[in-house]
Amino acid sequence: MNAPAHFADALPATVFDRPARRRFAAHYPERPHILTHALTSHPLLEIEALAQLAEQLPLSSVEYNRGDLPIGVDGKPGSNGMTIAETIRKVAEAESWAVLKNIEQVPVYHDLLLGLLEEIRPEIEAATGAMLTPQGFIFVSSPNSVTPYHFDPEHNILLQIRGSKVMTQFPAGDTRFVPDEAHETYHSGGPRELKWDDSFLQHGTEFPLAPGEALFVPVMAPHFVRNGPAPSVSLSITWRSEWSYRESDARIFNAILREKGLRPAAPGRWPQQNYAKAYAFRVMRRLGLTGN
């Protein structure tokens, strides 16, 4: 996708103002919170531009499914019978949700992502060190669609661009909502969808999002999303940290221990660093003793 000259002028001078950055710094990396942002429109985030982006991305970087789903699903949801571009162009009536993954593969979206992350880099790196592996994800959702209960390995800010939604989050690292074995399965290459129980609902925190609002989602915080009554476009700007990678590697090491009949203790959350298990796994990987 070529970058028309007006794309450079479409981004506000500051998307996250000083109060938003102060709020982010006060809560990052472990407390979810709402921020304000100024990215409520952009040519690259219009429906037709997103349909064209979907056609450029490799098949491994797009996911789209029916949106008339329960909170909890067993495995990947079923297909909606359309292409990804049709799903996006007909989002108002498609009863579906779509996600475009790793948008940074396309140069103009790479620039958009890095421009946003650069604004909050000082706050990120003051808390968790170097900002690693920046990635962007765009979600296009039909009215009233549901993104089922799952978790993600990145530090994540979800910016609501148009439409509305409510994300219900649960505490990261709490085994009431995700057992250790589910973490180990995911980090060893399994699905991110999680087993749902209706008893969880009373413990979740709802975060309504309107255009101009953004939500920080801590690493591996389980959540589900209900879209509002209009089509929705949201942009996730994500990054990793050495801390998040150490937790991931420690989980894989625990999976190896569990396969041998042991019952390993769960890795610690921030600010614990998980050095021993993470580096033990990394040594095993270098020696070719694991397939990961």
Side-chain angles (χ1 to χ4, degrees):
M1 181 180 289
N2 295 322
H6 69 280
F7 279 7
D9 300 326
L11 198 64
T14 303
V15 172
F16 298 108
D17 62 17
R18 186 173 299 174
R21 296 196 302 272
R22 281 201 301 262
R23 180 169 174 78
F24 174 68
H27 291 78
Y28 177 73
E30 283 289 80
R31 288 187 289 163
H33 57 284
I34 296 287
L35 302 169
T36 56
H37 70 82
L39 188 65
T40 52
S41 64
H42 193 287
L44 291 175
L45 301 175
E46 298 294 333
I47 291 296
E48 180 56 31
L50 296 177
Q52 293 179 29
L53 170 62
E55 292 173 324
Q56 293 183 71
L57 291 171
L59 288 177
S60 60
S61 295
V62 300
E63 182 178 348
Y64 58 107
N65 301 291
R66 293 172 32 241
D68 53 339
L69 297 169
I71 295 171
V73 295
D74 185 10
K76 290 292 182 185
S79 169
N80 63 9
M82 294 184 285
T83 68
I84 179 66
E86 288 173 331
T87 298
I88 291 173
R89 290 187 174 106
K90 299 178 180 179
V91 64
E93 64 269 8
E95 296 186 346
S96 300
W97 62 268
V99 56
L100 308 180
K101 306 176 184 179
N102 301 115
I103 61 171
E104 67 279 0
Q105 296 172 91
V106 176
V108 288
Y109 287 92
H110 174 270
D111 294 344
L112 173 64
L113 171 66
L114 292 192
L116 294 171
L117 286 174
E118 197 60 36
E119 292 191 15
I120 54 172
R121 181 188 292 271
E123 291 78 13
I124 291 170
E125 297 194 339
T128 54
M131 184 179 70
L132 306 174
T133 323
Q135 296 177 313
F137 303 82
I138 296 175
F139 299 89
V140 184
S141 307
S142 295
N144 305 310
S145 61
V146 171
T147 304
Y149 188 55
H150 68 286
F151 54 15
D152 303 294
E154 305 92 0
H155 307 278
N156 173 19
I157 297 177
L158 178 70
L159 291 81
Q160 191 66 19
I161 308 301
R162 65 174 53 86
S164 64
K165 60 181 49 172
V166 178
M167 179 186 289
T168 302
Q169 274 194 50
F170 300 82
D174 190 323
T175 56
R176 291 179 298 169
F177 309 112
V178 185
D180 290 330
E181 292 87 344
H183 284 272
E184 295 162 15
T185 297
Y186 169 73
H187 287 295
S188 300
R192 69 185 62 210
E193 289 78 19
L194 300 168
K195 185 176 181 180
W196 173 254
D197 188 304
D198 287 341
S199 66
F200 295 169
L201 199 55
Q202 62 182 315
H203 302 290
T205 301
E206 291 188 349
F207 292 95
L209 287 173
E213 294 180 322
L215 173 61
F216 174 68
V217 186
V219 170
M220 305 306 285
H223 58 278
F224 67 87
V225 181
R226 291 188 187 275
N227 203 49
S232 166
V233 174
S234 306
L235 168 64
S236 273
I237 58 173
T238 78
W239 62 97
R240 298 292 297 269
S241 62
E242 177 59 19
W243 161 55
S244 76
Y245 277 122
R246 278 196 292 263
E247 180 179 0
S248 174
D249 289 344
R251 292 286 188 183
I252 302 173
F253 187 72
N254 275 2
I256 295 169
L257 295 179
R258 202 176 297 277
E259 287 177 357
K260 297 182 181 300
L262 301 176
R263 299 182 64 184
R269 289 289 294 183
W270 176 266
Q272 298 179 65
Q273 297 297 311
N274 301 310
Y275 285 107
K277 288 181 177 178
Y279 286 104
F281 170 71
R282 293 176 188 183
V283 168
M284 291 177 66
R285 184 167 54 194
R286 283 197 297 269
L287 294 174
L289 301 177
T290 172
N292 292 284

